[in-house]
Amino acid sequence: MKIPISHKATRRNQRWFFAVMIVLFVPCAFYLKLSYSQFADGVGRIPDIVKQFLQISPEDLPVLLRELLTSLIIAFLSVVISVFLSLLLSFLIADTTAPNRWIAKGLRLIVVIVRTIPTTIWVLLAVASMGFGSMAGVLGLLFPTTSFLIKSFTAQIDEAGKEPVEAIRALGGTWWHVVFNGAIPTLYTTFLALIAFNFEITVAETVILGMVGAGGIGVLLQEYISYYEFAPLLMGILVVFLTLFALELMTNRIRKRLARGAR
Amino acid sequence: MSSFLLEIKGLTKKYSAGTIALSGIDLQVKSKEFIAVIGPSGAGKSTLLRCINRLVEPSSGSIEFAGDRVDQANARELRRVRSQIGMIFQHYNLVNRLSVLENVLHGRLGYMSSIAGMFSRYSEEDKKKAIALLRKVGLENEMYKRADELSGGQKQRVGVCRALAQQPRLILADEPIASLDPKSSAVVMDAIHRNCAEQGIACLVNLHQVDVAKRYASRIIGIKNGKMVFDGPPEALTDHHAALIYEGKESQMYQQPVGEEPQDRRYA
Ligand SMILES: Nc1ncnc2c1ncn2[C@@H]1O[C@H](COP(=O)(O)OP(=O)(O)OP(=O)(O)O)[C@@H](O)[C@H]1O
Ligand SMILES: [Mg+2]
């Protein structure tokens, strides 16, 4: 007999997991009426679409760039406002700095609720109340961005430990001293890295959210798609890709530098 | 108002987990006393010190510091009391990203408004005094280094300076040398002892090492299971007493003798 080597319970779990997945897959495929012929048709059309795409035209470039700038500004504004809001709220929520346990609990609950509602819904709500445009974009992004930052900030504040904070408290410092002289200097670089990361995500989100009417380059892309204008669409996608790529490189660089400065 | 700097009556602390860390501690401290608190791990030494400045909330009992009832103080009064009590921590509790000088100047925050403190508007007078303190402990060349660039012994000297910058009437030191090697330990203990003596500051220092306690203290307090089991001058603490305090935990009695290399390190 061969000697078994794996952990029994783990192996059993894995088998169950795959069995359930396969059993569920079949009815799910029927439910959505996934059909092979439709798939084959689609694949057959790919060369045609690629051909249309390849007629990339720089004609719309100026418009695209202008709308891209709008997108970036929407992202920037909502991140800046979110940073201010979340900085204040995080220190009210984090265990080591919260002045009042019950206020902290209440705020934490609100943040959880805001986070469970997807960004798209927030923007749609903002569009519904503000009308189409950049204003709705900034307002709609504010909620998810702030709650994301609050969650990251509070985790970092608690992570940093209560030691420096406790020292400031012990020598008679006020809550503001505890936050500004004890906690923020300790967390400064971590916070900057988080903000850079958040800006990157928010720009990507703004592009997509433009498609639901939040202003920026997404609006333009949405129009191209609905009129089957593949040539400027490809140009637009290229512009977005290059922007996000450059942004990613930049924030990575910032984060690396901050991490090095931290030690 | 009592004639003591610090008067503790019937201090009891029960943690929410159910542990009774202190039960019925009575303690009077006169100004300029240098008191070592000894006792085995978990005896309640840290809890006692933290109850005095209410980093830990006492469950019952009264604490009077310089005529103020600490246990009944509101937020503002508590700040005033804390500003007159320096604290030195085992893990230094410095703000790592700030300069050594800034860390020492933090000792002045208790006397400053929120706004002035937030924007680090320390007076030139305070800065001069902070630099003088650093010079006294031999750290004048490290003044502008980041706190986390220092060695453990240097960090603790910064901690001592921060406490002294408060110009306190009492210093609470919770195992200030427990994370240090024997040489640094001696330097730090000397710094605390000398400055307290010179400036007439009373000091309560938690120590694991009985021999260090005997060397520096003018009075020794033994705590075991949350009760005070010894209170007297160091001469009165015989080996017999020490053995009683550490009964069942003798191995903790002579850790890290100060000023000499431990046996096992000598040939390392
Ligand atoms: N935050 C806390 N919550 C619950 N129990 C605690 C807490 N802090 C301390 N205790 C308990 O209270 C008792 C006394 O702890 P304390 O830290 O005061 O002892 P100590 O004499 O300082 O010990 P050591 O020499 O190890 O530092 C211990 O039983 C400990 O487990
Ligand atoms: Mg302790």
Side-chain angles (χ1 to χ4, degrees):
Chain A
M1 204 182 93
K2 282 186 187 165
I3 302 168
I5 53 167
S6 56
H7 182 241
K8 248 195 199 131
T10 311
R11 202 177 43 200
R12 203 169 44 233
N13 278 347
Q14 283 168 351
R15 284 194 185 147
W16 264 106
F17 184 74
F18 284 108
V20 168
M21 243 170 45
I22 288 168
V23 167
L24 281 180
F25 181 83
V26 179
C28 288
F30 277 105
Y31 182 80
L32 286 184
K33 303 195 181 65
L34 298 179
S35 76
Y36 178 73
S37 62
Q38 191 188 358
F39 177 70
D41 267 7
V43 171
R45 272 202 305 270
I46 285 180
D48 194 33
I49 291 178
V50 167
K51 214 185 294 162
Q52 290 196 41
F53 256 125
L54 284 183
Q55 298 161 338
I56 178 167
S57 90
E59 198 183 313
D60 279 8
L61 193 58
V63 199
L64 280 167
L65 288 181
R66 207 181 56 218
E67 289 302 306
L68 176 72
L69 186 66
T70 314
S71 280
L72 288 175
I73 289 174
I74 292 173
F76 181 73
L77 284 182
S78 48
V79 168
V80 169
I81 301 173
S82 298
V83 165
F84 275 102
L85 288 176
S86 45
L87 262 187
L88 191 67
L89 291 173
S90 299
F91 288 106
L92 294 175
I93 291 174
D95 290 336
T96 48
T97 52
N100 180 305
R101 222 152 44 93
W102 295 106
I103 293 175
K105 274 200 174 136
L107 287 172
R108 212 178 266 269
L109 183 69
I110 295 173
V111 171
V112 168
I113 293 172
V114 170
R115 273 176 63 80
T116 46
I117 301 172
T119 311
T120 322
I121 305 278
W122 281 116
V123 174
L124 283 173
L125 283 176
V127 170
S129 56
M130 298 273 128
F132 291 102
S134 313
M135 180 71 198
V138 174
L139 193 72
L141 280 169
L142 221 51
F143 291 89
T145 311
T146 306
S147 61
F148 171 88
L149 283 176
I150 288 179
K151 183 155 194 279
S152 329
F153 285 174
T154 47
Q156 291 304 325
I157 297 169
D158 286 335
E159 178 103 346
K162 64 174 170 50
E163 294 186 343
V165 162
E166 193 172 54
I168 307 280
R169 207 171 276 144
L171 52 78
T174 63
W175 183 79
W176 295 97
H177 294 153
V178 167
V179 169
F180 276 80
N181 302 77
I184 290 186
T186 312
L187 294 160
Y188 182 66
T189 48
T190 323
F191 279 7
L192 280 187
L194 279 171
I195 293 167
F197 176 60
N198 183 244
F199 179 65
E200 188 189 316
I201 302 175
T202 308
V203 171
E205 264 171 354
T206 323
V207 175
I208 299 166
L209 294 172
M211 298 187 178
V212 298
I217 196 168
V219 179
L220 223 50
L221 296 183
Q222 172 64 27
E223 279 171 15
Y224 294 148
I225 292 174
S226 34
Y227 295 110
Y228 297 102
E229 294 178 30
F230 289 114
L233 178 59
L234 181 61
M235 192 67 218
I237 291 173
L238 211 63
V239 165
V240 169
F241 169 76
L242 287 178
T243 311
L244 292 182
F245 190 69
L247 206 61
E248 162 115 29
L249 286 186
M250 237 159 64
T251 50
N252 270 351
R253 224 175 163 164
I254 293 175
R255 270 187 283 170
K256 276 223 187 82
R257 181 163 304 170
L258 288 177
R260 220 176 320 124
R263 251 262 41 113
Chain B
M1 202 177 138
S2 65
S3 58
F4 298 108
L5 177 65
L6 176 71
E7 186 162 21
I8 298 174
K9 283 187 196 144
L11 175 63
T12 297
K13 172 62 191 179
K14 190 176 171 194
Y15 282 106
S16 50
T19 319
I20 296 171
L22 294 175
S23 54
I25 297 278
D26 295 304
L27 173 65
Q28 288 93 28
V29 179
K30 287 185 281 219
S31 49
K32 299 175 193 174
E33 271 190 298
F34 198 94
I35 303 177
V37 183
I38 60 169
S41 182
K45 307 183 293 292
S46 300
T47 308
L48 172 62
L49 254 56
R50 280 156 185 271
C51 280
I52 292 170
N53 63 4
R54 276 182 49 196
L55 282 183
V56 165
E57 281 300 324
S59 305
S60 65
S62 73
I63 301 168
E64 193 175 326
F65 173 79
D68 291 314
R69 280 291 291 271
V70 183
D71 53 307
Q72 294 173 345
N74 61 26
R76 178 179 296 250
E77 290 159 357
L78 182 59
R79 263 196 78 204
R80 209 190 56 230
V81 167
R82 282 174 172 176
S83 68
Q84 298 172 51
I85 301 180
M87 192 162 205
I88 300 169
F89 302 83
Q90 177 180 350
H91 301 293
Y92 330 122
N93 293 23
L94 304 178
V95 181
N96 281 333
R97 302 284 163 76
L98 295 181
S99 74
V100 165
L101 184 56
E102 278 173 296
N103 270 286
V104 176
L105 282 166
H106 278 170
R108 302 310 300 164
L109 286 175
Y111 301 98
M112 293 164 76
S113 70
S114 288
I115 299 275
M118 277 160 67
F119 294 102
S120 300
R121 285 207 225 109
Y122 304 103
S123 70
E124 293 307 304
E125 184 65 26
D126 284 348
K127 291 181 200 168
K128 275 183 205 146
K129 282 184 185 159
I131 294 170
L133 283 171
L134 282 169
R135 187 167 296 130
K136 221 167 156 191
V137 299
L139 288 176
E140 65 269 33
N141 295 326
E142 273 72 27
M143 191 153 85
Y144 294 111
K145 279 193 183 156
R146 253 169 61 162
D148 56 2
E149 291 171 12
L150 302 185
S151 72
Q154 291 175 321
K155 281 183 188 167
Q156 193 59 295
R157 278 182 271 162
V158 177
V160 172
C161 287
R162 177 174 63 189
L164 291 169
Q166 290 177 246
Q167 297 181 313
R169 303 183 63 181
L170 172 68
I171 284 184
L172 307 171
D174 193 0
E175 313 218 7
I177 55 170
S179 311
L180 301 178
D181 64 84
K183 246 204 194 99
S184 311
S185 294
V187 174
V188 166
M189 279 310 294
D190 284 341
I192 298 176
H193 188 256
R194 181 158 40 90
N195 281 289
C196 283
E198 282 172 12
Q199 292 162 50
I201 303 167
C203 185
L204 271 171
V205 51
N206 284 354
L207 289 168
H208 255 122
Q209 308 92 328
V210 177
D211 52 339
V212 181
K214 280 186 151 179
R215 182 165 326 154
Y216 290 96
S218 63
R219 178 178 162 196
I220 292 182
I221 286 168
I223 290 192
K224 190 180 181 182
N225 295 330
K227 294 203 176 66
M228 205 189 284
V229 293
F230 180 88
D231 182 358
E235 309 84 62
L237 184 82
T238 58
D239 288 351
H240 172 69
H241 283 114
L244 275 181
I245 295 171
Y246 283 92
E247 195 176 44
K249 304 192 177 179
E250 285 82 2
S251 63
Q252 294 173 7
M253 218 160 89
Y254 288 103
Q255 286 173 345
Q256 295 187 354
V258 163
E260 55 189 86
E261 293 285 308
Q263 290 288 331
D264 53 345
R265 284 228 201 126
R266 197 166 289 166
Y267 303 107

